[in-house]
Amino acid sequence: MSNIRFFWQNLFDLAALTASSQDADFPAANLQNPLRTKVYKTAGATPGTANLVIDHLTAKPVTAIILANYDWAGAPGTLNLEFNAADAWGAPSATEALTWVATPDTYGNPNVIIKVFASKSYRYNRLNVVYSPGAVPTDWQLGRIFLGTCFEPINHYDFDGEESIVDPSFIGESVGGQQLVDEITKYRTKSFDFPAETLAQWLLFQQMFNSVGYSRDLFVAFDFDNYPNALTMYGKFTSLRQQDDFFKRIELAFKESR
């Protein structure tokens, strides 16, 4: 059995953002776009340092953060998520240190930085980054942030599902016989199933499905305990089926967004 978690209620998308450093063409507001390729970029006199203040307007419980589509080639000197009741950061009320993960990984998979922690409820959060890979700080980018809580089913899924790597690249041939290749970004798909043995569990699934459906992106950590980075995907559900047996078995298919 694999330890699965669904990250779908993203408080970050409803928050007001203030960035200490941003490129005018790639503002922090891009982080609230579901397309992870629509990135936020830093700029300025010391572009390697940037603080992103996240204002929830009221105190909101947060238990997880995910960062995706970043281009830090090495570990930032500072990579923290901070919490406070006011927009003042001399001494934050709480801090969660995040661990950098190389992306892509050794096998070419897009990785994420992900952390789950004890619930903290504050109006303000701040992503604090200092990145100086060389003698001079450099600009960096970030494509998507999740900030909120996650849903972990009581019963996890079996490994008898299917996972595929899809290459949608177009390969053709010219009149003269030369091969033509239009290379398109690869993506992963996964199908899996698990039981929701209680009505309370099924209602929680139903709440998620009714909110997300097939049109909204979410993060799914397919094996959070063992491989939280390599086996966490950002994408959409493509099918949902429920079997009415002695217990309710839920069958899902998931497609990674590019």
Side-chain angles (χ1 to χ4, degrees):
M1 302 290 282
S2 183
N3 177 245
I4 191 169
R5 298 194 185 202
F6 299 94
F7 301 80
W8 62 279
Q9 289 181 307
N10 197 351
L11 297 175
F12 182 85
D13 288 347
L14 303 175
L17 308 179
T18 303
S20 65
S21 172
Q22 66 179 359
D23 187 302
D25 295 323
F26 301 93
N30 284 358
L31 292 166
Q32 295 174 319
N33 189 297
L35 296 175
R36 62 182 178 83
T37 53
K38 192 175 179 67
V39 299
Y40 152 69
K41 291 185 178 182
T42 59
T46 56
T49 299
N51 299 313
L52 179 66
V53 175
I54 304 154
D55 181 2
H56 299 293
L57 303 182
T58 60
K60 297 290 177 63
V62 172
T63 64
I65 182 172
I66 301 176
L67 307 180
N69 203 25
Y70 48 89
D71 66 349
W72 298 305
T78 301
L79 184 58
N80 291 334
L81 177 64
E82 300 168 338
F83 303 81
N84 212 22
D87 187 8
W89 302 100
S93 298
T95 299
E96 291 288 341
L98 308 181
T99 301
W100 170 80
V101 177
T103 185
D105 67 8
T106 304
Y107 305 100
N109 296 314
N111 269 351
V112 298
I113 293 171
I114 179 172
K115 188 172 186 180
V116 175
F117 42 83
S119 181
K120 297 175 176 60
S121 186
Y122 294 91
R123 172 175 172 175
Y124 293 94
N125 307 147
R126 186 175 78 152
L127 182 65
N128 183 17
V129 182
V130 177
Y131 178 58
S132 302
V136 179
T138 184
D139 288 317
W140 49 265
Q141 73 175 38
L142 179 60
R144 198 72 175 104
I145 294 180
F146 173 89
L147 200 61
T149 58
C150 62
F151 169 42
E152 180 182 6
I154 295 173
N155 298 293
H156 298 148
Y157 78 100
D158 293 315
F159 274 119
D160 59 357
E162 295 183 357
E163 182 172 337
S164 302
I165 299 176
V166 179
D167 184 356
S169 299
F170 172 78
I171 301 175
E173 191 172 286
S174 70
V175 175
Q178 292 85 6
Q179 189 179 66
L180 303 174
V181 177
D182 183 7
E183 188 171 354
I184 302 174
T185 304
K186 302 173 186 67
Y187 62 90
R188 295 171 289 179
T189 64
K190 193 171 185 71
S191 61
F192 55 99
D193 63 83
F194 46 82
E197 297 183 1
T198 67
L199 176 61
Q201 278 280 288
W202 169 242
L203 291 176
L204 288 173
F205 281 115
Q206 193 174 39
Q207 180 186 12
M208 179 177 65
F209 299 144
N210 287 340
S211 175
V212 174
Y214 296 148
S215 61
R216 285 180 53 192
D217 289 282
L218 71 156
F219 287 94
V220 181
F222 289 99
D223 192 354
F224 182 80
D225 285 346
N226 298 308
Y227 305 102
N229 309 105
L231 293 184
T232 295
M233 298 184 198
Y234 179 67
K236 297 179 177 69
F237 293 123
T238 57
S239 70
L240 162 66
R241 192 167 76 92
Q242 171 193 326
Q243 287 183 249
D244 290 314
D245 294 322
F246 172 69
F247 53 83
K248 296 184 184 296
R249 178 165 289 276
I250 300 167
E251 298 179 356
L252 291 168
F254 190 81
K255 175 183 175 182
E256 186 176 35
S257 294
R258 288 172 282 171

